[in-house]
Amino acid sequence: DGIAMSEVAFIGDSDGDVGAIEAAGLGFAPANAYDIAKQAADFVTQGDLLAGVGEAYLACLEANGVDPVEAVVSAPGVFSSVS
């Protein structure tokens, strides 16, 4: 009933995010996060801001055996340009 926390990924960068980082199945902190968030995380990204989010997204795909290129190809319309 619902999504188990073990199936949730969360990325956070401050002390207010620590509980969610620890509760998630995969907890991420970007490179520019506070030390307390980095210590709570399962994975600290090399990039910050959007680069860090991208790294976390790719790590989640790979952890679930999903080829990142295939994920983009199989999502028609999601990555198409808007005119």
Side-chain angles (χ1 to χ4, degrees):
D1 303 32
I3 298 172
M5 286 305 293
S6 62
E7 297 178 30
V8 172
F10 185 87
I11 185 166
D13 64 355
S14 69
D15 56 345
D17 296 324
V18 169
I21 292 169
E22 292 175 338
L26 277 176
F28 295 90
N32 63 331
Y34 290 115
D35 287 338
I36 193 165
K38 291 180 189 178
Q39 292 167 358
D42 299 304
F43 181 77
V44 177
T45 67
Q46 293 179 355
D48 56 7
L49 301 174
L50 290 178
V53 172
E55 283 180 62
Y57 176 73
L58 290 174
C60 288
L61 289 176
E62 291 171 1
N64 286 286
V66 177
D67 176 15
V69 173
E70 182 60 33
V72 172
V73 171
S74 65
V78 174
F79 296 97
S80 63
S81 62
V82 176
S83 353

